[in-house]
């Protein structure tokens, strides 16, 4: 990292000096800048991704060489078969006569960008040549690209697994150390009921509580009590080593503590809030039909959005819909306890409220502007439109199978951001190189410009090219934003040869190397990692049932009658809370339903590493090496901690 | 199946009747024909693939609905944002004004076929609209398509696993049955050395030998002896149940029995074959440098192939290369035992010889034709060219890491054929429907035709369309072959909208339904199964090390000093054989190296199910239910088989 910073400084000095003296130089250090991001930020995930790519490289290289060999063979065959037939492409240029051109054309066919076009002249000549291209597509486009995915995926998985295993191992070692520091010997001085427990080291409840308090101060007392009761099944007042080692995993399970609070209005104006009318309203809001009615309203709204908004009927309908949505939120706030409604895990409630309030504000601003001077701000109107459409997304939440998929996607969101970073870094490097190579070669003209140069993007070399004809002038390397958009288009791969062709025309055929390199790095490697990642995340969702620990925690919660059913959680959260009247009661459940309830959000992990660990939990069986270290540790059992 | 045949018959009768009476009808039963293939052929694999698709459908449907919802949302947003801006596409048509057109355009964007074009008008208007399209591509093109792959892959794997588990279970049950029929009680009447073996049922060697002879008559006596010695470690003369259950797996492991035979020439003309000159030649051929020299020759040949073959120097060089290749094969046949050289597992030897002989024949035929009348047959010349290039492929075999990949690909070849069948069935159905819908709507004209209709594929509706401009007339549904080629192009997806657009123009916009359906079925479902399959096959290669059974078999082979090293097997097979002089010797190895040797081709399985079983071997842990049935079986131990 130091090297990187130094290089950047040197470059800046050189550039400054040359700029002052009137020269311009290549700002080569720009390329290095993103490496700072990799090193400086808390980019553990990013570094991990980079390392997994680096480790996969040798294997990818082997497959790549074989793939290139296959392309060369096919090209040679194409040259021998087609070069003497005097075929022409639709542009009138000769078809498949130059070996290097054939290689490039067939490489482009792997990206599928020139799919039927490259085949058409030969196919028009004779149907038999279709066999050649079909074989090529099956072997190179489908099989080899799948093999690339397999190699990348496999390495990604292997590397991640190793790293997670190391993490787990380190965690266990530290926990063991902690145990040996905290342990006390029961048995020897104690009762010693059975032969088994003699001298067995344990950790007492008070020490454990102290530890958890120090490690995670944010955890509630009730939650801590719950965890203890899970670890100490038999209520012995102390836990053994095996139970102690579970502490970290238990803390990693996200338990939502639900406090049953009375509604504020109930405290302020109890007579009104408890009146019959109020009760009826609340019952209606909690009813399933209420949800259906609003789903129907959303669907009708969708139709209205599709209609022309300049129609007065439609614009007044818009006000009606907005009122309905606001009313819905107010009713829900009236029915449910506001703090529970806006708790951290109620994603859709937050989403809803923010969208509606923004829409309300934007619509009002728009109306005010319009009535004040008949002037409509295009930007505000755009925002209003977007918000209106976004409102409709909520309908997804009412369909359980949709919700499951969306939840998975939301959950892997943070990890996907890692890939966002990775792609940004790679894009940035290529954008910088691209800007050095192609800056200013392609120009954009305003749509109303009458300059004849507009026809060929201001570069005579592009006259009559497909690039200019398709009006691609704005796809250029003139600034960072344009470069990023262009690189995204190249990632999507379609029209790859046209985009590439434009830049080759304005510079040199060797520019192809840059674009082929980009294709290899981004499409063959990075996108495959992205696919591998999504696959892995979904497999975890499908395969891994709740882990053992979670199940035992859940069992305990159920046992203690502290469980909130999923149903109640999702839709009408407050319902369960609202029906009970006692607002006192210990967290350890009595017969009456307690005010404090727990819910395991079983599929949500606090940390990213928690998710990763779970990904490989089924495969990383550490019990074997555990047993080894177990015996080893026994010797270390600290004698200075005499019995309590 | 009967229903299918009946329907086909009915259709044929109706068609015949109508044809006689001068009407033409829709041959709807054509669509059903491929179902015969599914039912009639020994298509267990094919039916399995179909069933796994059927089982995956509900889950795919959920994701698909969510995906369509997302497309609809984005379309609605695009309509609101862009319809009022009076933008035009490069064709001059209005841009994003019709909701249905927007949906279709954005669906096409998921296929990436219209990637930058659909964005350009909005992007040219304002760079901010790029954000909209980038989000769309990230969410729908990348994320949803990966989710589809995840769902298809997961279901494919799950279903295959279940089926393989059932197979394994059935196999074990049958083996257990066989054991209970064949078992004899040792111990009771016998010595009963330890307490453990009292009454333990066993199978004697003679019965086992009889069984294996009946089950697999093709197996050599030596191979059978080897298997027995693996099962009966301690040479007790009988095997227990646990060992007996391994029989099927052991038989499934492909053991190559190598018989060290003297070279025929050694028998016929021993004096000459054993002369010093002959020995030197053989040593040269076996040397590593010989392989390198021929690799160099192949590379030089590749350069010559690239040159113009009408140059007399090049054409005479071609004769020289041909002579060199023929000489190589003759030398190898002289050095190595011909039957070993052409044994079933020597893929590359076969490949080489066939290619060279074909090339020799074709070149001679070509030369003969040329000298006889100066006439050159284009077809023969094409074949000569193809064979020449294919010769070069051999170079791959000398690079070990390439060979590993190629071996994997060759191994999954038969399973890939299943997918070939599957795709053929689906293509056939779509081709038939396509022919009913579009037959004759697009016509092909000869290249030298002066008919003005050639410009628009004989259909005035295509005048000025991109379809006609790109000269796509030959992509039509006029016959089965053209339909298949067109469907392949649609599978590759590029220019999808142009191809689709052509057929929509000559019929009706509703024709899009057909093409979208094809995209969903083939690209979203079937191609993903193909990818899943390749991934799975490669993961097995990477992950699963040799199974326990194979290792024990290998250990035994090594122990008995019957092992052939990999090195010797691959390159110069005969080397090890040739150096030893004794041509007698028992198969159970003495001190001297035996004439009979074994080699486990550890990664090759006799049957497809063997491969599949291995795929899931690591995951299908049947030991648990085994133990259950174990105790159960004990009660059945047949008392009628009294001690021998």
């Amino acid at each position: 990292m130091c090297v990187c910073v130094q290089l950047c400084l040197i470059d800046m000095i050189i550039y400054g000096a040359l700029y002052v003296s009137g020269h311009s130089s290549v700002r080569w250090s720009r390329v290095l800048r993103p490496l700072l991001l990799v090193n400086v930020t808390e980019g553990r995930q990013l570094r991990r991704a980079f390392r997994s790519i680096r480790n996969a490289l040798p294997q990818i290289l082997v497959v790549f060489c074989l793939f290139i060999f296959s392309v060369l063979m096919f090209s040679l065959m194409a040259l021998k078969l087609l070069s003497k037939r005097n075929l022409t492409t639709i542009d009138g240029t000769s078809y498949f006569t130059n070996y290097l051109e054939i290689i490039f054309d067939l490489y482009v066919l792997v990206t599928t960008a020139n799919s039927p076009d490259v085949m058409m002249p030969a196919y028009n000549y004779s149907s038999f040549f279709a066999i050649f291209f079909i074989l090529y597509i099956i072997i190179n486009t489908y099989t080899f690209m799948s093999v690339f995915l397999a190699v990348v995926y496999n390495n990604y998985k292997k590397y991640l697994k190793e790293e997670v295993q190391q993490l787990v191992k380190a965690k266990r070692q530290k926990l063991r150390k902690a145990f040996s520091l905290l342990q006390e010997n029961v048995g020897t001085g104690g009762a010693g009921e059975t032969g088994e427990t003699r001298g067995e080291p344990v950790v007492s409840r008070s020490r454990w509580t102290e530890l958890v308090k120090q490690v995670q101060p944010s955890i509630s007392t009730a939650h801590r009590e719950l965890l203890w009761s899970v670890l100490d099944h038999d209520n012995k007042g102390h836990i053994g080593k095996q139970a102690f080692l579970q502490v970290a995993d238990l803390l990693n399970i996200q338990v939502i503590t639900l406090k049953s609070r009375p509604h504020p209005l109930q405290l302020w104006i109890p007579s009104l809030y408890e009146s019959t009318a109020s009760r009826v309203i609340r019952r209606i809001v909690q009813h399933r039909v209420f949800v259906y009615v609003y789903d129907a309203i959303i669907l009708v709204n969708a139709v209205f959005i599709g209609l022309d908004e300049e129609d007065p009927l439609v614009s007044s309908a818009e006000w009606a819909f907005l009122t309905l949505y606001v009313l819905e939120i107010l009713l829900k706030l009236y029915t449910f306890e506001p703090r529970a409604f806006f708790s951290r895990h109620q994603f859709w409630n937050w989403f809803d409220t923010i969208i509606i309030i923004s829409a309300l504000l934007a619509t009002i601003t728009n109306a005010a502007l319009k009535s004040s001077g008949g002037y409509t701000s295009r930007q505000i109107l755009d925002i209003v439109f977007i918000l209106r459409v976004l409102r409709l997304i909520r309908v997804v939440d009412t369909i359980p199978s949709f919700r499951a998929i969306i939840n998975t996607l939301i959950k892997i969101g943070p990890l996907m951001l890692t890939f966002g970073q990775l792609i940004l870094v790679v894009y940035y490097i290529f954008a910088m190189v691209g800007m050095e190579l192609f800056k200013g070669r392609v120009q954009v003209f305003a749509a109303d410009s009458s300059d004849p140069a507009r026809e060929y993007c201001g570069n005579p070399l592009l006259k009559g090219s497909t690039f200019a004809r398709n009006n691609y002038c704005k796809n250029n390397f003139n600034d960072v934003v344009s470069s990023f958009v262009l690189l995204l288009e190249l990632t999507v791969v379609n029209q790859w040869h046209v985009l590439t062709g434009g830049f080759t025309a304005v510079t040199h055929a060797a520019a192809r190397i840059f674009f082929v390199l980009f294709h290899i790095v981004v499409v063959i490697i990075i996108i495959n990692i992205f696919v591998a990642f999504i696959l892995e995340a979904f497999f975890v969702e499908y395969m891994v049932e709740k882990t053992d620990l979670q199940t035992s925690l859940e069992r305990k919660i159920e046992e203690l009658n502290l469980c909130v059913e999923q149903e109640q959680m999702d839709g009408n959260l407050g319902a369960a809370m609202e029906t009970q009247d006692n607002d006192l009661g210990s967290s350890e459940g009595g017969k009456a339903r307690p005010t404090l309830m727990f819910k395991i959000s079983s599929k949500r992990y606090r940390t990213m590493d928690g998710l990763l660990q779970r990904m490989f939990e089924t495969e990383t069986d550490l019990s074997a090496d555990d047993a080894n270290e177990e015996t080893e540790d026994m010797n270390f059992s600290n004698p200075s901690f005499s019995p309590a």
Side-chain angles (χ1 to χ4, degrees), chain A:
Chain A
M1 200 199 112
C2 281
V3 177
C4 189
V5 171
Q6 278 171 16
L7 284 173
C8 287
L9 277 173
I10 292 168
D11 183 45
M12 276 164 82
I13 292 163
I14 294 174
Y15 183 80
L18 285 171
Y19 187 80
V20 168
S21 62
H23 295 78
S24 77
S25 85
V26 175
R27 292 292 305 273
W28 44 265
S29 79
R30 280 180 172 171
V31 176
L32 296 173
R33 272 184 227 164
L35 295 179
L36 287 176
L37 183 69
V38 180
N39 288 305
V40 172
T41 59
E42 50 82 56
R44 181 155 73 167
Q45 302 292 328
L46 192 59
R47 254 174 291 147
R48 192 181 273 168
F50 262 108
R51 255 178 298 173
S52 88
I53 290 174
R54 204 183 51 203
N55 286 21
L57 275 185
Q59 270 192 295
I60 292 171
L61 200 71
V62 169
V63 180
F64 189 75
C65 287
L66 195 58
F67 158 70
I68 288 295
F69 178 78
S70 160
V71 172
L72 291 179
M73 286 291 102
F74 272 98
S75 304
L76 193 56
M77 224 182 268
L79 178 75
K80 297 315 283 183
L81 292 178
L82 291 165
S83 65
K84 292 288 164 117
R85 306 212 179 208
N86 294 320
L87 301 178
T88 54
T89 62
I90 41 164
D91 300 338
T93 55
S94 63
Y95 176 72
F96 272 13
T97 50
N98 178 327
Y99 187 53
L100 288 176
E101 291 293 323
I102 295 175
I103 294 173
F104 184 72
D105 281 342
L106 288 184
Y107 186 86
V108 175
L109 183 54
V110 170
T111 72
T112 75
N114 58 357
S115 160
D117 302 294
V118 74
M119 174 178 117
M120 286 322 288
Y123 183 46
N124 281 330
Y125 178 81
S126 161
S127 294
F128 284 104
F129 285 110
I131 298 169
F132 174 82
F133 287 97
I134 288 172
L135 273 180
Y136 183 86
I137 287 170
I138 291 173
I139 292 176
N140 289 311
T141 309
Y142 285 112
T143 309
F144 268 107
M145 290 299 131
S146 302
V147 173
F148 277 120
L149 177 59
V151 171
V152 170
Y153 187 5
N154 186 56
N155 273 281
Y156 165 79
K157 207 168 148 182
K158 198 176 72 184
Y159 188 71
L160 214 57
K161 202 161 132 184
E162 276 168 18
E163 201 158 283
V164 168
Q165 273 171 340
Q166 275 174 1
L167 276 179
V168 170
K169 216 172 163 180
K171 186 183 73 183
R172 297 211 168 203
Q173 263 173 355
K174 283 194 183 134
L175 278 170
R176 239 178 248 120
K177 223 171 178 175
F179 184 76
S180 67
L181 286 174
L182 294 172
Q183 71 189 1
E184 306 159 38
N185 271 350
V186 90
T188 48
E193 320 105 62
T194 53
E196 264 173 60
T197 54
R198 93 185 125 77
E200 198 192 339
V202 294
V203 166
S204 69
R205 180 165 184 168
S206 55
R207 281 194 181 177
W208 186 87
T209 310
E210 204 56 43
L211 176 76
V212 173
K213 262 186 196 160
Q214 296 244 324
V215 171
Q216 215 148 54
S218 65
I219 214 166
S220 70
T221 314
H223 185 179
R224 207 167 51 233
E225 299 277 326
L226 179 74
L227 293 184
W228 177 261
S229 62
V230 170
L231 291 176
D232 184 19
H233 313 272
D234 314 330
N235 247 318
K236 281 189 286 192
H238 53 75
I239 49 171
K241 183 165 183 174
Q242 219 49 47
F244 184 81
L245 294 184
Q246 296 180 354
V247 170
D249 292 330
L250 272 180
L251 286 175
N252 234 351
I253 295 171
Q254 207 164 44
V255 174
I256 301 169
T257 316
L258 303 172
K259 281 204 188 105
S260 170
R261 292 202 196 85
H263 198 283
L265 289 177
Q266 200 177 359
L267 296 178
W268 301 338
I269 33 169
S271 58
L272 187 68
Y273 196 74
E274 292 297 332
S275 68
T276 324
S278 167
R279 273 180 184 276
V280 167
I281 289 170
R282 281 186 280 152
R283 191 137 304 160
I284 289 170
V285 174
Q286 283 165 32
H287 202 275
R288 192 164 293 178
V289 171
F290 185 77
V291 178
Y292 293 156
V293 167
Y294 264 93
D295 282 353
I297 289 173
I298 288 172
L299 290 180
V300 175
N301 189 192
V303 175
F304 270 87
I305 290 174
L307 299 176
D308 188 359
E309 73 276 2
E310 268 155 39
D311 189 324
L313 181 74
V314 174
S315 69
S316 56
E318 176 52 32
W319 282 106
F321 283 118
L322 210 49
T323 317
L324 280 170
Y325 291 133
V326 173
L327 191 69
E328 186 197 8
I329 290 179
L330 290 178
L331 278 174
K332 280 190 175 168
L333 280 177
Y334 180 76
T335 311
F336 304 123
E337 208 279 318
R339 268 168 296 183
F341 187 74
F342 286 124
S343 80
R344 209 147 47 88
H345 310 287
Q346 299 290 322
F347 173 77
W348 288 107
N349 290 346
W350 279 99
F351 178 82
D352 239 26
T353 314
I354 290 169
I355 293 283
I356 297 295
I357 291 176
S358 316
L360 194 65
L361 288 177
T363 311
I364 290 169
T365 315
N366 187 41
L369 278 175
K370 211 172 183 176
S371 63
S372 68
Y375 162 80
T376 312
S377 164
R378 197 73 228 186
Q379 269 81 35
I380 290 178
L381 208 59
D382 282 348
I383 292 168
V384 170
F385 287 147
I386 292 171
L387 290 171
R388 271 186 209 165
V389 176
L390 285 179
R391 265 178 351 209
L392 306 180
I393 292 177
R394 221 205 38 196
V395 104
V396 166
D397 188 42
T398 53
I399 299 164
S401 46
F402 282 6
R403 201 167 41 206
I405 296 169
I406 298 239
N407 280 344
T408 307
L409 289 176
I410 290 174
K411 199 186 322 158
I412 60 175
L415 276 168
M416 267 159 85
L417 285 184
T418 306
F419 288 94
Q421 277 180 296
L422 182 68
I423 286 184
L424 278 187
V425 169
V426 175
Y427 269 33
Y428 188 82
I429 293 171
F430 276 96
M432 286 305 124
V433 176
M435 280 166 73
E436 291 299 341
L437 293 174
F438 308 111
K439 194 171 185 171
R441 307 261 181 169
V442 174
Q443 269 148 30
V444 198
F445 291 79
D448 49 359
S449 159
S450 58
D451 194 331
R454 205 187 138 225
E455 283 294 296
Y456 45 84
C457 306
N459 194 323
L461 289 166
L462 286 174
K463 259 181 192 163
S465 67
T466 323
F467 186 88
R469 225 188 305 132
N470 283 3
N471 206 358
Y472 284 172
C473 308
K474 211 177 170 181
N475 297 320
N476 56 44
F477 280 106
N478 295 353
D479 56 88
V480 180
V481 173
S482 306
S483 304
F484 269 60
V485 174
L486 174 56
L487 291 176
L488 184 88
E489 289 170 13
L490 290 173
T491 307
V492 175
V493 149
N494 200 63
Q495 298 288 47
W496 192 86
H497 56 312
V498 175
L499 293 164
T500 307
F503 290 99
T504 313
V506 296
T507 50
H508 186 263
R512 284 172 178 173
I513 297 168
F514 171 77
F515 293 106
V516 170
L517 212 65
F518 178 79
H519 180 257
I520 294 168
V521 171
V522 174
V523 180
I524 294 186
I525 301 180
I526 306 223
I527 293 295
N528 277 339
I529 289 193
F530 178 81
V531 174
F533 175 72
I534 300 243
L535 287 180
E536 200 58 31
F538 268 80
F539 289 166
V540 170
E541 282 308 299
Y542 284 130
M543 282 199 300
V544 179
E545 292 298 342
K546 289 169 189 172
T547 60
D548 279 354
L549 267 174
Q550 277 178 313
T551 322
S552 73
L553 193 60
E554 273 183 322
R555 218 181 301 120
K556 199 75 193 178
I557 293 178
E558 251 168 61
E559 215 173 85
L560 297 173
N561 198 19
L562 293 165
C563 171
V564 179
E565 276 158 43
Q566 188 64 32
E567 186 70 4
Q568 296 170 327
M569 263 306 284
D570 288 336
N572 30 12
L573 169 98
M577 318 271 125
E578 203 261 338
T579 47
Q580 60 211 33
D581 304 306
N582 63 326
D583 47 0
L584 286 158
S586 72
S587 65
E588 305 281 319
K591 294 286 170 201
R593 289 191 95 180
T595 47
L596 194 64
M597 296 188 127
F598 296 104
K599 189 192 164 285
I600 294 180
S601 70
S602 61
K603 291 193 173 173
R604 222 163 272 181
Y605 274 77
R606 272 180 206 273
T607 59
M608 238 162 252
D609 286 328
L611 179 69
L612 288 176
Q613 219 165 298
R614 187 167 163 216
M615 272 190 180
F616 299 108
E617 212 148 19
T618 42
E619 290 168 49
T620 54
D621 189 15
L622 286 155
S623 52
D625 80 328
D626 233 34
N628 286 337
E629 291 176 59
E630 203 78 352
T631 52
E632 196 180 292
D633 280 348
M634 290 303 264
N635 308 329
F636 286 109
S637 60
N638 200 335
S640 67
F641 278 88
S642 40

